[in-house]
Amino acid sequence: MNAFIQGLIILVGALVLLGAVVGITALFGHKRFKRREAKGILEPGETSPLDTVNVPVECCGQHATCERDSLLAAVSKEIIYYSDEELDTYQGIPSDKYTDEQAEEFADIFYELREIEVAGWVRSLQLRGIEIPDQIKDEVLLVVRERRFEPVSNGVDHSNDKVAS
């Protein structure tokens, strides 16, 4: 039992020492940052080690649901147009009131999108007050669902790919 307590004391001491080293390093880094700030030689985006940084909500890997794959309009308020400005004329029309010709306009845009863009497109439509026609809704949601559970292909993460506005 005595060896256990000694080991525990050594472990706690090592953790305290590690914390002190990290704290001192952060303080020196902060002082260096302040000197560089006073001289005006900071790099773009450079922050002090003691500053908190807002992590972007866009697919940083730290969230259960990536914004790119989320259909919740509350996740992002940014409206991105997917070369679909003409759909703004359908604002406020219920999903079951579209004619087949109108639904075809949505389908044409939907089929031109890459799979990775579909959830963002749907979120953009939601933010613009445009409902997806019932005629294509199931297919759109199927693509979003499949995309959500698809692993990153070929080791390349395209989660931060942007669509030209």
Side-chain angles (χ1 to χ4, degrees), residues 3-164:
F4 174 73
I5 293 176
Q6 286 177 339
L8 192 58
I9 290 173
I10 291 172
L11 179 64
V12 169
L15 288 174
V16 168
L17 182 62
L18 179 64
V21 168
V22 168
I24 290 170
T25 304
L27 285 174
F28 281 125
H30 180 69
K31 285 186 179 192
R32 179 177 177 269
F33 171 80
K34 287 297 185 185
R35 281 194 307 272
R36 290 172 51 84
E37 184 179 44
K39 292 180 183 178
I41 56 173
L42 289 178
E43 297 293 325
E46 185 177 349
T47 61
S48 167
L50 299 181
D51 288 344
T52 58
V53 179
N54 292 331
V55 178
V57 295
E58 222 181 327
C59 301
C60 61
Q62 297 180 357
H63 303 95
T65 302
C66 182
E67 178 180 329
R68 161 184 56 92
D69 293 331
S70 177
L71 296 181
L72 299 175
V75 173
S76 172
K77 297 292 183 198
E78 180 183 7
I79 295 175
I80 298 174
Y81 283 88
Y82 294 79
S83 299
D84 65 346
E85 293 81 2
E86 67 273 15
L87 298 182
D88 285 343
T89 60
Y90 299 117
Q91 190 173 27
I93 296 177
S95 63
D96 61 346
K97 299 295 183 200
Y98 288 103
T99 66
D100 288 339
E101 293 79 26
Q102 291 171 328
E104 189 63 33
E105 285 186 60
F106 283 83
D108 289 343
I109 294 167
F110 169 65
Y111 292 127
E112 289 178 9
L113 296 172
R114 296 179 301 165
E115 281 186 23
I116 198 168
E117 298 171 326
V118 175
W121 178 62
V122 172
R123 189 173 54 250
S124 174
L125 292 175
Q126 288 174 337
L127 289 169
R128 291 155 49 195
I130 303 168
E131 292 188 30
I132 297 174
D134 285 348
Q135 293 93 319
I136 66 165
K137 189 181 289 186
D138 289 341
E139 191 171 357
V140 170
L141 294 177
L142 178 66
V143 170
V144 171
R145 240 181 263 122
E146 285 177 353
R147 182 82 193 127
R148 186 172 291 158
F149 297 109
E150 178 181 297
V152 174
S153 61
N154 300 328
V156 179
D157 181 8
H158 297 283
S159 59
N160 290 319
D161 288 0
K162 290 280 188 188
V163 177

